[in-house]
Amino acid sequence: MDWEKLTAEAVAIAERAYAPYSGFPVGAAAMVDDGRTVVGCNVENAAYGVVLCAECGVVSQLHATGGGRLTHFVCVNGLGEVIMPCGRCRQLLYEHGGKSLVLMTPLGERTMDEVLPQAFGPDDLRHVTDARKGTPA
């Protein structure tokens, strides 16, 4: 995995962030299981709670360009420093990369399972739905 290249893509997209309220631009980049790279930047709004996180942009581009699963992910601030996704975004990334998604963190590579242990996801929903229908898990 070329973390340097992926991080450079996150840094480049952070320059396009719209962060007039916080002054905290964020860029994110991820590899997809088919080899594509998807990126996103944060987009703020005067209604502060309606912010679109950079991670949301990554997931949106993932689906807009064909879907798949995220395999590697990095998020940076406006200085190009690696940062951690917030809790909400960790859940979003888990949904689209699963427990084996590898994140670059300030402490090095970590799997999503390490970053968000015992996460709740689509498998949990399928389990309950299947159990109610009497389908073996």
Side-chain angles (χ1 to χ4, degrees):
M1 174 61 213
D2 188 348
W3 285 109
E4 189 173 311
K5 181 179 179 204
L6 195 63
T7 302
E9 297 219 25
V11 169
I13 200 69
E15 293 175 9
R16 295 187 176 191
Y18 179 73
Y21 305 104
S22 71
F24 194 82
V26 177
M31 291 297 301
V32 182
D33 57 3
D34 65 4
R36 280 178 294 137
T37 300
V38 290
V39 297
C41 60
N42 59 323
V43 178
E44 296 180 348
N45 187 290
Y48 292 111
V50 191
V51 169
L52 297 175
C53 298
E55 298 88 336
C56 294
V58 164
V59 171
S60 181
Q61 192 179 50
L62 170 71
H63 289 281
T65 60
R69 299 293 285 169
L70 302 174
T71 62
H72 296 81
F73 173 88
V74 64
C75 194
V76 300
N77 63 21
L79 300 175
E81 300 166 333
V82 174
I83 59 174
M84 290 297 292
C86 71
R88 172 183 172 260
C89 290
R90 291 178 197 195
Q91 181 66 38
L92 183 70
L93 292 168
Y94 182 86
E95 181 90 8
H96 300 281
K99 63 175 79 176
S100 62
L101 171 62
V102 180
L103 285 72
M104 179 54 68
T105 77
L107 299 176
E109 292 182 30
R110 300 287 188 270
T111 63
M112 183 52 72
D113 197 36
E114 294 173 286
V115 172
L116 190 65
Q118 300 180 16
F120 176 86
D123 291 339
D124 298 293
L125 298 175
R126 277 190 291 278
H127 169 72
V128 170
T129 302
D130 290 347
R132 287 184 162 188
K133 290 179 182 176
T135 307

